[in-house]
Amino acid sequence: MKGHTQPTDIRAARCLIGDKQAFLARLQCIGRERGTRIICFNADMMAGRRHVESAVRFARRSWEGGGAIANTFEMEVLLYAAGSRQCNVALKFGIHDGENNLYICCEPGGNDNVWIALSALLEYADPEIFETIDQKKKEHLIDLFDITSLELGSIDTGTTITDLVLERVALQQVLR
């Protein structure tokens, strides 16, 4: 999808997954048929839509620039989302068996037929429902991204937990 001109489409959704591999195979089929890549993010592990957008942007840059470390674009995006170079860590940022709160990303976007096809697999949700970071989610993000107490001290000066997570995502670009 090098050199695409359509923006990335991102939506919030919920679904119940009984067979993760079958679900992923169906996503790949829908994406192939419609000329897009579909990436699912576990919304419970994401610091909001800005986190998704940042991961996609950095992955696109590394993929198109020849600096990718993953075998697929989808995994490259999840590596950035996780702020890690380890696929086993990144996989936790994707789907899992059972109830899923998701951000669904189509890269490139601009194809309404993809969203129609995906509606057979999931239920779209109000995008604001995953944007709230309560104390429990904040603590979870601090653990996931190894955010230090010194960094947390900067939150008082206008920095948010989302900003600190986005720094981890950007740091992956530097560490490559």
Side-chain angles (χ1 to χ4, degrees), residues 39-104:
I39 305 106
C40 294
F41 300 86
N42 179 342
D44 299 330
M45 299 178 78
M46 300 298 289
R49 181 184 173 99
R50 285 178 48 214
H51 186 179
V52 174
E53 291 168 341
S54 181
V56 172
R57 185 176 60 254
F58 281 112
R60 185 186 318 120
R61 187 179 303 162
S62 73
W63 194 258
E64 291 177 355
I69 62 173
N71 291 330
T72 66
F73 178 75
E74 295 84 348
M75 180 53 74
E76 188 74 10
V77 173
L78 291 176
L79 286 168
Y80 275 100
S84 175
R85 295 178 59 129
Q86 303 300 314
C87 289
N88 61 336
V89 174
L91 285 172
K92 295 175 188 172
F93 283 75
I95 64 167
H96 54 85
D97 287 332
E99 300 259 346
N100 282 257
N101 293 323
L102 302 172
Y103 283 105
I104 308 286

Side-chain angles (χ1 to χ4, degrees), residues 1 7-11 26-40 104-122 124:
M1 310 278 158
T8 301
D9 283 343
I10 301 168
R11 296 193 184 176
R26 185 69 187 122
L27 291 180
Q28 289 173 338
C29 182
I30 291 170
R32 255 191 324 273
E33 289 172 354
R34 290 157 181 89
T36 191
R37 294 183 176 106
I38 303 167
I39 305 106
C40 294
I104 308 286
C105 170
C106 291
E107 171 69 18
N111 185 338
D112 287 338
N113 290 328
V114 171
W115 299 111
I116 293 166
L118 288 173
S119 68
L121 301 176
L122 44 85
Y124 296 113

Side-chain angles (χ1 to χ4, degrees), residues 148-157 164:
T148 68
S149 57
L150 181 62
E151 291 170 303
L152 288 171
S154 71
I155 288 179
D156 293 339
T157 63
L164 296 176

